[in-house]
Amino acid sequence: MSKPVLVINSGSSSLKYQVVDAESGEALAVGLIERIGGAGPGALTHTVGGEKHPAEVQVPDHAAAMAAMSDAFAQHGPDLAEVGLVAVGHRVVQGGARFGHSVHIDEEALATIEQLSDLAPLHNPANAAGIRVARAQFPDLPHVAVFDTAFHLTMPEVAHTYAIDREVAEEHRIRRYGFHGTSHAYVSQRAAEFLGQPLEDTNVIVLHLGNGASACAVRGGISVDTSMGLTPLEGLVMGTRSGDIDPAVVFHLARTAGMDIDAVDTLLNKRSGVLGLSGRQDMRDLVEAAAAGEPEAQLALEVYCYRVRKYIGAYLAVLGRVDAIVFTAGIGENSAEVRALTLEGLAGLGIELDGEANLVRSGEARDIATSASRVRVLVIPTNEELEIARQAIDVVGTRSSTYN
Ligand code: ADP
């Protein structure tokens, strides 16, 4: 039986949507609306049956974006009334310590999501705005919030605690939350399936390398550590984020360069990472420039991969036994160069990449380790929309069995 879910990812200036069948995984329509709230018109791309339908749209706010989405469905299909939507699943970035799993959205849940905005000022207000307008547009469907942080709420205290004054930390809810949870959850399940092992007995290190990037140590399907922290700034080097850095850099810049907090925030979140090191944010450009011998690009690529390698070492120690290292997201799935450079010199730890298998381009899950490698190396395409749809179905199913 098909179970179509409308999945919505509402950002500050963009809205991504997808109708996906939670049973078959088939995406019936995929859309992106950009430049919401901008000075000029926005851009909508609605893709159905492999055909793209671009349009210029007036989207001064999220309500207008939601209306533009409905127009696109009405014009290009599928007909939402006929599809038989079962639920609307919303991506929400920060669930704090409050949400350890996906929830049905009522007024109280929505208010809590809004209250968590102080921990995720760039994300939660936009997520909440999307939820509000979607609930108005689809009042008869159950709406479910799926949190980026929820998968990591299982992290033990030892992994999520920062060594700072306890009272300050408690008062301001400062701890490690972690992000990309839907991706880490999906990919670690798929890894166990691929290996033909029960999830409970499978230990993996998932490397989600996209524009944002994070590593996750997953023991038996449970996140026990992850590289992002209070915010997505901690951990790996990313497109524009520094990742791990001595916090004293902030004091130093304030005292010696006279930079205020917002300027340092912008520096570390938007002007650092491989962009800050090389002037290039896109990994394809960076790899090309490095291959052409540009020293800044070569160093940026090496710093990027070296940081990932350090986290692999850390999580081998955290997990003790590791079945597989799993690469996912735009860079992890596509960049043979990054995978090879990251895993260089790890044979002594039982991790051996098969050079030829690594070069094969494919959209399928695959094993790229040598047959002798003790730890498998997998490439598994992530699918956050499908995971959100599945979790939405789980919540709706639980509710009907609870309330009917
Ligand atoms: P997001 O975090 O926005 O979802 P993605 O997971 O789509 O990001 O990843 C985007 C990144 O993937 C970009 O840095 C892009 O350069 C990189 N990428 C996509 N295709 C390739 C490729 N063939 N080789 C190297 N990097 C790639």
Side-chain angles (χ1 to χ4, degrees):
M1 203 182 84
S2 73
K3 288 184 177 162
V5 175
L6 173 61
V7 175
I8 291 179
N9 181 353
S10 170
S12 55
S13 65
S14 72
L15 189 144
K16 292 183 195 162
Y17 60 88
Q18 195 171 120
V19 174
V20 57
D21 184 343
E23 284 295 311
S24 68
E26 186 192 356
L28 306 177
V30 179
L32 169 66
I33 303 171
E34 292 173 290
R35 298 199 294 276
I36 298 170
L44 178 147
T45 311
H46 185 85
T47 306
V48 60
E51 209 171 311
K52 277 189 186 343
H53 302 279
E56 202 178 272
V57 283
Q58 298 305 322
V59 281
D61 53 26
H62 286 82
M66 197 61 61
M69 177 191 83
S70 287
D71 289 347
F73 276 107
Q75 211 180 331
H76 306 293
D79 183 335
L80 285 183
E82 278 177 17
V83 159
L85 288 175
V86 184
V88 183
H90 295 268
R91 177 191 182 207
V92 178
V93 168
Q94 179 56 273
R98 171 74 179 70
F99 296 112
H101 47 77
S102 303
V103 292
H104 175 258
I105 303 173
D106 53 16
E107 279 306 317
E108 193 195 335
L110 184 52
T112 311
I113 289 166
E114 283 174 335
Q115 281 158 19
L116 288 163
S117 292
D118 58 342
L119 289 174
L122 298 179
H123 297 105
N124 273 39
N127 301 155
I131 291 171
R132 269 195 198 289
V133 295
R135 285 177 89 208
Q137 188 106 356
F138 304 98
D140 299 329
L141 285 173
H143 290 248
V144 175
V146 179
F147 301 92
D148 269 22
T149 48
F151 182 60
H152 304 300
L153 215 57
T154 50
M155 275 194 285
E157 214 173 0
V158 68
H160 73 64
T161 303
Y162 287 118
I164 64 168
D165 183 283
R166 279 187 82 108
E167 279 179 27
V168 173
E170 268 164 37
E171 187 183 343
H172 300 284
R173 293 171 292 164
I174 297 171
R175 49 162 283 175
R176 308 185 62 256
Y177 292 101
F179 299 88
H180 290 143
T182 37
S183 178
H184 289 300
Y186 176 83
V187 169
S188 48
Q189 282 165 33
R190 289 280 297 116
E193 278 166 27
F194 186 91
L195 295 168
Q197 293 178 199
L199 183 61
E200 312 80 74
D201 301 335
T202 306
N203 292 355
V204 292
I205 299 172
V206 181
L207 304 169
H208 177 109
L209 310 179
N211 271 321
S214 68
C216 186
V218 186
R219 176 181 288 132
I222 289 169
S223 169
V224 293
D225 205 348
T226 192
S227 58
M228 285 178 166
L230 174 76
T231 76
L233 183 55
E234 191 179 347
L236 304 180
V237 175
M238 310 180 207
T240 65
R241 297 188 191 118
S242 63
D244 293 337
I245 194 168
D246 182 344
V249 169
V250 178
F251 324 142
H252 182 72
L253 287 171
R255 290 181 187 130
T256 62
M259 288 173 80
D260 66 15
I261 286 299
D262 287 335
V264 181
D265 190 331
T266 304
L267 175 78
L268 297 181
N269 272 297
K270 303 257 167 67
R271 290 172 43 213
S272 296
V274 292
L275 174 74
L277 289 174
S278 72
R280 289 179 170 83
Q281 178 181 342
D282 192 295
M283 189 51 79
R284 284 165 287 207
D285 299 341
L286 186 68
V287 166
E288 210 172 284
E294 201 178 289
E296 292 85 358
Q298 283 171 343
L299 180 63
L301 188 58
E302 280 168 21
V303 170
Y304 182 94
C305 295
Y306 179 70
R307 183 75 53 85
V308 183
R309 197 182 317 148
K310 285 216 290 194
Y311 269 91
I312 292 173
Y315 290 167
L316 284 171
V318 165
L319 291 169
R321 174 184 67 81
V322 170
D323 297 292
I325 289 167
V326 192
F327 286 90
T328 194
I331 297 167
E333 290 166 29
N334 295 299
S335 180
E337 293 85 355
V338 166
R339 293 191 297 253
L341 194 53
T342 297
L343 299 183
E344 218 171 70
L346 298 186
L349 295 172
I351 303 164
E352 285 176 56
L353 190 66
D354 179 324
E356 264 178 47
N358 184 39
L359 289 177
V360 174
R361 300 195 61 83
S362 158
E364 299 295 314
R366 55 204 189 272
D367 187 337
I368 56 169
T370 63
S371 53
S373 182
R374 190 157 40 80
V375 178
R376 306 318 301 160
V377 179
L378 308 181
V379 178
I380 296 192
T382 192
N383 192 338
E384 289 169 278
E385 289 78 13
L386 177 57
E387 179 66 21
I388 291 172
R390 284 179 177 166
Q391 293 200 17
I393 292 291
D394 283 350
V395 170
V396 170
T398 318
R399 264 173 58 82
S400 42
S401 60
T402 311
Y403 295 112
N404 284 350

